[in-house]
Amino acid sequence: MSIPVTLIPGDGIGPSITEATIRLLEAAGADIEWDRQLAGTAAVHAVNDPLPAATLESIRRTKVALKGPLETAVGKGFRSINVALRKAFDLYANVRPAKSVLPGLRFDGVDIVLVRENTEGLYIGVENYVKIGTDEHAAAQSVAVVTRFGAERIHRYAFEYAIAHGRKKVTIVHKANILKYSQGLFLEEGRRIAAEFAGRVQVEERIVDACAMELVMRPERYDVIVATNLFGDILSDLTSGLVGGLGLTPGANIGNDAAIFEAVHGTAPDIAGKGIANPTAVMLAACQMLDHLGQGTLAEQIKFAVEGVLRARQIVTGDLGGSATTEQYTDAVIARL
Ligand code: NAD
């Protein structure tokens, strides 16, 4: 039976890289029934709403979406549609794998999965200015909230992910030496959950600044990393950089009732419509999606073909130093399946 999946092609290069990905999945034999829905600028043009109810309804039904990058319309509406989607479905775990595949980079042997808490921390949007005397903006404050509930579920997700994917170690990243309450609670919950997995997954703790340094000196020693929202945001771009940049990095946003898979890069307005965008990140996001849907073997086959083309580095797109179009690159990956 075909698996229903919501497809949001997105804006800018989104439609071309998602179409390339669908072509690859079909060639690989994935049996998916795509329910195409709009969001972002495409949706504003069509129905004057950046996040139409029909799109939310579709994700509620299928519980799984593959999404191209979205341009947040300047002016009115949501601050970010991506954040609105995360909130609507309580997508608490952001999972960003970064693996060395391209030859000739500064690092090789990197194979890190960063699990970022996606709903709490400093990103809850509770901020205000403090007026002193006549200065309305004399001070500003931002509130970071860590709950036991939120910390527990992200640590549990990271450890369960490690077991399910044959990973050996989870590194808990924190700043509990300074932020003793919010980061302290995150670490306390991490230690408690780690104890449940003792003997099955190794655990280590790293203060975020030391972790950042070690990631650019000895990245190969890291396996799974779990961090709060802000630290995870920063470190996940760092790990993307270690393996060749955002064009190669997929991201999964996972909740209990839905999951959304996407490339982490944006709509690339400078190259939109030229047929030269790199579809790798969406292709790898689709592999994460297949894995999530219990089709791990198919996901591995597709990933193997993508990695083969990248390793050869002959038919690659302009951002990777090649001259292939999106279509030529996709053909090369399909030929490797
Ligand atoms: P961007 O990622 O779109 O582009 C940065 C640079 O990387 C550009 O030079 C672009 O050409 C290049 N690039 C990005 N993806 C590429 C690909 N697949 N192949 C080849 N080159 C690629 O970042 P930006 O310019 O800061 O943002 C543009 C728009 O995207 C904004 O409206 C922003 O809000 C949106 N955005 C959306 C998401 C998302 O939906 N997940 C994420 C980031 C930015």
Side-chain angles (χ1 to χ4, degrees):
M1 256 200 13
S2 329
I3 306 169
V5 172
T6 303
L7 177 77
I8 302 171
D11 302 316
I13 60 172
S16 90
I17 56 180
T18 50
E19 274 317 312
T21 302
I22 291 173
R23 194 153 72 80
L24 171 61
L25 262 57
E26 276 171 4
D31 193 2
I32 293 175
E33 184 196 317
W34 300 103
D35 181 16
R36 282 162 205 271
Q37 297 291 338
L38 295 172
T41 300
V44 171
H45 288 156
V47 293
N48 201 26
D49 181 354
L51 189 52
T55 302
L56 293 170
E57 193 43 52
S58 171
I59 300 172
R60 225 166 266 132
R61 183 177 63 81
T62 63
K63 302 186 188 311
V64 182
L66 183 66
K67 187 181 85 54
L70 301 175
E71 181 186 83
T72 297
V74 179
K76 53 184 180 201
F78 300 100
R79 193 149 60 145
S80 157
I81 302 154
N82 293 313
V83 172
L85 278 169
R86 262 176 235 161
K87 282 195 173 151
F89 296 102
D90 193 21
L91 305 174
Y92 66 90
N94 182 240
V95 184
R96 293 259 299 258
K99 184 176 170 190
S100 297
V101 177
L102 271 188
L105 296 182
R106 202 170 304 172
F107 300 98
D108 58 11
V110 179
D111 189 1
I112 298 170
V113 177
L114 198 141
V115 178
R116 161 187 169 192
E117 203 293 319
N118 226 3
T119 59
E120 301 193 335
L122 258 180
Y123 286 11
I124 54 169
V126 177
E127 296 189 292
N128 62 282
Y129 287 113
V130 178
K131 182 181 174 190
I132 301 176
T134 54
D135 186 354
E136 298 278 347
H137 290 187
Q141 52 191 7
S142 307
V143 177
V145 171
V146 171
T147 65
R148 190 180 297 287
F149 170 79
E152 173 181 351
R153 69 177 176 174
I154 197 67
H155 285 297
R156 194 171 292 289
Y157 184 89
F159 279 90
E160 281 173 357
Y161 182 98
I163 299 266
H165 294 83
R167 298 270 171 168
K168 303 265 177 304
K169 185 172 71 177
V170 173
T171 303
I172 302 170
V173 172
H174 65 89
K175 189 76 184 173
N177 52 327
I178 305 292
L179 301 168
K180 294 188 191 297
Y181 290 77
S182 54
Q183 289 291 317
L185 179 56
F186 185 75
L187 179 59
E188 180 186 314
E189 275 308 294
R191 287 177 177 163
R192 194 174 67 77
I193 302 301
E196 288 181 26
F197 290 83
R200 291 186 288 159
V201 185
Q202 292 170 39
V203 63
E204 66 177 11
E205 298 168 10
R206 281 286 180 282
I207 292 176
V208 64
D209 35 342
C211 175
M213 182 185 69
E214 213 170 29
L215 274 171
V216 293
M217 293 188 76
R218 294 198 300 148
E220 65 290 341
R221 66 170 304 291
Y222 282 92
D223 191 347
V224 175
I225 295 175
V226 59
T228 48
N229 212 334
L230 172 67
F231 296 156
D233 189 9
I234 297 167
L235 292 182
S236 60
D237 271 25
L238 192 161
T239 56
S240 295
L242 295 175
V243 300
L246 296 180
L248 299 175
T249 319
N253 297 287
I254 313 272
N256 291 332
D257 301 321
I260 299 182
F261 300 84
E262 62 182 347
V264 299
H265 60 71
T267 59
D270 50 335
I271 57 165
K274 295 186 178 160
I276 56 169
N278 182 359
T280 305
V282 181
M283 289 174 172
L284 295 178
C287 292
Q288 282 187 296
M289 181 189 83
L290 288 172
D291 191 38
H292 175 82
L293 290 168
Q295 310 235 340
T297 309
L298 188 57
E300 284 306 314
Q301 282 167 3
I302 297 173
K303 223 174 353 172
F304 193 75
V306 172
E307 290 178 1
V309 174
L310 291 175
R311 268 200 194 96
R313 211 172 178 168
Q314 279 170 343
I315 307 173
V316 291
T317 46
D319 56 311
L320 302 180
S323 59
T325 61
T326 310
E327 208 173 320
Q328 286 164 340
Y329 173 78
T330 308
D331 289 341
V333 176
I334 290 171
R336 283 234 178 200
L337 278 171

